[in-house]
Amino acid sequence: MAIYDAVVVGAGFSGLYLIKRLRDAGFSVCVVEAAPSVGGTWYWNAYPGARCDVESFDYCYSFSRELEEEWDWSERYPSQPELLRYLNYVADRFDLRREIRFETRVTAAAFDEARNLWDVSLDSGERIEGRFFILAGGAISVPKPPEIDGIESFRGACYHTGNWPQEGVDFSGQRVAVIGTGSSGVQTSTAIVDAVSQLTVFQRTPNYTAPMINYALDAAAMNEFRRTSPARHEKSRHSRQGIPYDLPTQSALSVSAEERAETFRNAWENSHLFALRLTYSDILTDEAANEAVSEFVRGKIREIVNDPAVAEKLTPRSYPFATKRPCLGRGYYEMFNRDHVRLVDLRETPIQRMTPAGIETSEGELAFDAVIFATGFDALTGAAARIDITGRGGVTLREKWADGPETYLGLASTGFPNLFFVTGPGSPGPLSAMVKSIEQHVDWIADCMIYLRDREIASIEADRIYEREWVEHVQSVALGTLYPRADSWYLGANVPGKPRKFMPYLGGVGFYRSTCDKITKAGYEGFELSRA
């Protein structure tokens, strides 16, 4: 049986950088990847219009100046095809593919306490072993299936945005339903609206969608990025969101209504993912401040959408602004002014079932040629839950996390020695510019493995007391904000039966990084190290 220093699940941004760091440090690595190529989330999410909502300059690796000099980004917001090209370039540039087993899944992993090794089972029937087992499958990598009866009876084609055909789909002249109005639903709808004969958007909860102001990047923009990138990356590493923007210091309630409106208008017209959130310091902690920005966006919807009834259906009222991940869209609200686009509000007109011809709602049957499920992901814990992971004493990770995930720093979980999570629950993860958080976690894991090797330490495991304190801290920080007011995937609320626990860490990328650094400098405080 092959034995590696590290067995890694996933060959996206996390897995590729893990290969680079660990191999450079002299470790043997085996990465197991279900897809036939690299890319991770950006391989599977090949739906029309798929695009990152973080700017290219902040959604890229920072570990190599040579890579930055060689790669030219074409747009402010990178599309899925461009991100996939980038990751393939990285894999080839650093010769990373030889450590990856493609078209293979990990089905189970059990910790051998006598040998301090992870026994990893693959879907091929083969078993491999690793001193460390690292889950790098991504926070949003497991598509959430729709909860609709009768899907198998539908005679048309069904697609899920999280598992899109690589060859693409031509919807020209078709009657298409899109179920879901999160980022993938917004992007898909606006990408296919010109091609279809009829587009019907099924909306459960309206989203706050700001303009995606995208543009081409020329040579001058790339040169300026290369000139300033060291400072940009360093500022991002110590920021709240992992992007190089200054935090506001002024309360929304300390200025006049007129000044607030002008500030919000400027943020809307110069939109980016965090623009409206960064207008005032209390947008996500004070109800009145949040209501001010919420009402501003509602006013924009009323201003853009011609039909007042449709505008009202598209207007979020049941949760505070940005407590669900906001969307960036290009012409999303404008799309509903077109004659061949209709909106079905599932709160008023729920889906009963799918039929051979289409979708039956409480008001009757609608016929479709294709149905697109933009129903999101089993976020943060879904990838780990797919694998039968067994730690000390035969306890499984599913059993331990039955009431919600428990980790120390989002990196490790008590009872599972030498198991690491990259951007796991309890870390900033999806509330940050992900690549910065990925690099920080990979660097921490690699440095930890070097530390253990140099001192001939066989295992590292999170201490239960420290883990419990960290879990409580994560929840305490969340409760100091408006985030728990929304039924979001941050809480697991989008998956039936999933425990409700706020999973990402809201303390900020910079504070989190400094916390991890302090723990490292203290000899991995909060971890139990064993030579046996």
Side-chain angles (χ1 to χ4, degrees):
M1 190 185 306
I3 300 177
Y4 300 90
D5 290 316
V7 175
V8 177
V9 180
F13 271 98
S14 303
L16 293 180
Y17 187 40
L18 273 163
I19 297 173
K20 179 72 172 61
R21 274 298 323 264
L22 295 180
R23 194 174 66 189
D24 286 353
F27 292 108
S28 59
V29 188
C30 178
V31 172
V32 183
E33 169 56 54
S37 187
V38 302
T41 296
W42 293 108
Y43 177 88
W44 299 108
N45 285 259
Y47 59 85
R51 187 178 295 276
C52 186
D53 55 12
V54 175
E55 295 178 58
S56 299
F57 296 157
D58 301 311
Y59 201 83
C60 61
Y61 290 120
S62 63
F63 68 83
S64 171
R65 285 289 288 167
E66 292 79 8
L67 176 61
E68 285 187 347
E69 291 294 331
E70 295 164 4
W71 183 263
D72 288 324
W73 292 105
S74 68
E75 296 178 277
R76 181 190 188 191
Y77 293 105
S79 67
Q80 179 268 341
E82 183 165 24
L83 283 165
L84 203 55
R85 287 194 299 273
Y86 175 71
L87 290 169
N88 274 278
Y89 181 84
V90 170
D92 293 334
R93 169 69 172 75
F94 298 102
D95 189 24
L96 306 179
R97 296 182 196 272
R98 55 190 168 95
E99 270 81 15
I100 306 173
R101 296 192 183 200
F102 292 111
E103 298 183 90
T104 306
R105 290 186 182 275
V106 171
T107 58
F111 186 67
D112 184 331
E113 297 182 49
R115 301 165 63 222
N116 283 315
L117 288 173
W118 280 94
D119 184 343
V120 180
S121 300
L122 309 179
D123 62 359
S124 62
E126 185 182 358
R127 288 164 55 200
I128 58 177
E129 291 182 320
R131 185 178 172 208
F132 294 89
F133 184 48
I134 305 173
L135 294 173
I140 48 173
S141 59
V142 178
K144 185 184 81 68
E147 298 108 38
I148 301 173
D149 293 333
I151 293 174
E152 69 286 347
S153 71
F154 180 53
R155 289 194 297 261
C158 290
Y159 306 94
H160 194 292
T161 52
N163 189 13
W164 199 264
Q166 294 299 305
E167 66 275 12
V169 181
D170 183 3
F171 291 105
S172 297
Q174 294 189 28
R175 299 163 300 172
V176 179
V178 175
I179 301 176
T181 54
S183 290
S184 56
V186 167
Q187 292 181 343
T188 301
S189 297
T190 53
I192 67 173
V193 66
D194 290 334
V196 302
S197 63
Q198 185 180 76
L199 176 65
T200 303
V201 176
F202 288 83
Q203 170 190 273
R204 181 178 61 182
T205 306
N207 214 327
Y208 293 94
T209 301
M212 175 175 274
I213 302 172
N214 196 25
Y215 46 76
L217 298 174
D218 57 17
M222 284 306 307
N223 289 336
E224 178 63 12
F225 165 63
R226 291 175 179 125
R227 185 184 71 81
T228 60
S229 69
R232 184 185 186 107
H233 292 318
E234 188 61 17
K235 184 173 183 178
S236 296
R237 293 183 190 111
H238 299 281
S239 68
R240 176 173 288 277
Q241 291 98 358
I243 53 173
Y245 294 108
D246 295 325
L247 289 177
T249 57
Q250 192 174 32
S251 166
L253 307 180
S254 68
V255 300
S256 67
E258 293 76 19
E259 183 176 338
R260 276 199 306 271
E262 178 61 21
T263 300
F264 293 150
R265 184 191 64 77
N266 182 65
W268 182 270
E269 293 179 355
N270 297 279
S271 174
H272 57 78
L273 184 61
F274 299 97
L276 284 167
R277 277 178 274 185
L278 290 174
T279 50
Y280 296 102
S281 61
D282 49 0
I283 291 294
L284 282 163
T285 56
D286 186 276
E287 287 187 47
N290 191 281
E291 178 59 22
V293 70
S294 298
E295 186 54 35
F296 171 82
V297 178
R298 294 174 194 140
K300 283 296 182 182
I301 298 169
R302 292 190 292 268
E303 180 183 310
I304 294 168
V305 180
N306 295 335
D307 186 328
V310 174
E312 180 56 30
K313 290 178 180 180
L314 288 165
T315 299
R317 296 191 183 279
S318 61
Y319 62 96
F321 171 76
T323 54
K324 288 176 178 264
R325 186 178 177 90
C327 299
L328 294 183
R330 295 189 291 178
Y332 178 65
Y333 293 124
E334 292 84 349
M335 178 181 77
F336 292 97
N337 293 328
R338 302 177 69 167
D339 291 338
H340 72 298
V341 178
R342 62 184 169 188
L343 176 69
V344 176
D345 185 344
L346 294 175
R347 297 169 301 179
E348 298 176 358
T349 313
I351 292 174
Q352 305 293 326
R353 64 187 60 82
M354 287 186 67
T355 67
I359 295 175
E360 183 180 332
T361 74
S362 59
E363 293 185 354
E365 185 179 44
L366 301 173
F368 297 105
D369 301 303
V371 175
I372 298 171
F373 299 113
T375 48
F377 300 88
D378 183 354
L380 286 157
T381 60
R386 270 188 169 184
I387 303 170
D388 293 323
I389 299 174
T390 306
R392 290 193 188 277
V395 177
T396 68
L397 190 65
R398 290 193 195 104
E399 289 170 338
K400 184 184 176 187
W401 288 8
D403 296 324
E406 296 181 342
T407 72
Y408 183 39
L409 304 172
L411 278 161
S413 192
T414 305
F416 298 85
N418 294 0
L419 168 63
F420 292 125
F421 307 94
V422 180
T423 62
S427 73
L431 289 174
S432 67
M434 280 293 288
V435 182
K436 288 293 182 294
S437 290
I438 285 168
E439 286 187 315
Q440 186 254 330
H441 265 198
V442 170
D443 288 337
W444 191 96
I445 291 168
D447 291 342
C448 177
M449 288 175 60
I450 293 168
Y451 178 95
L452 300 177
R453 180 184 62 189
D454 291 349
R455 289 159 181 78
E456 298 183 346
I457 295 171
S459 69
I460 181 170
E461 181 179 350
D463 179 272
R464 179 59 180 157
I465 294 174
Y466 282 83
E467 178 182 75
R468 188 179 295 115
E469 289 176 351
W470 183 256
V471 170
E472 292 172 355
H473 173 60
V474 170
Q475 299 309 305
S476 175
V477 173
L479 289 172
T481 74
L482 301 175
Y483 276 96
R485 304 282 185 90
D487 287 333
S488 71
W489 58 261
Y490 301 142
L491 282 157
N494 64 319
V495 178
K498 189 169 182 175
R500 297 289 185 94
K501 178 179 283 189
F502 198 85
M503 294 181 283
Y505 179 55
L506 283 168
V509 168
F511 179 78
Y512 175 81
R513 176 184 287 271
S514 66
T515 300
C516 291
D517 290 345
K518 288 176 185 175
I519 287 167
T520 300
K521 290 175 182 176
Y524 294 92
E525 182 183 10
F527 289 92
E528 297 177 2
L529 311 183
S530 174
R531 296 183 185 277

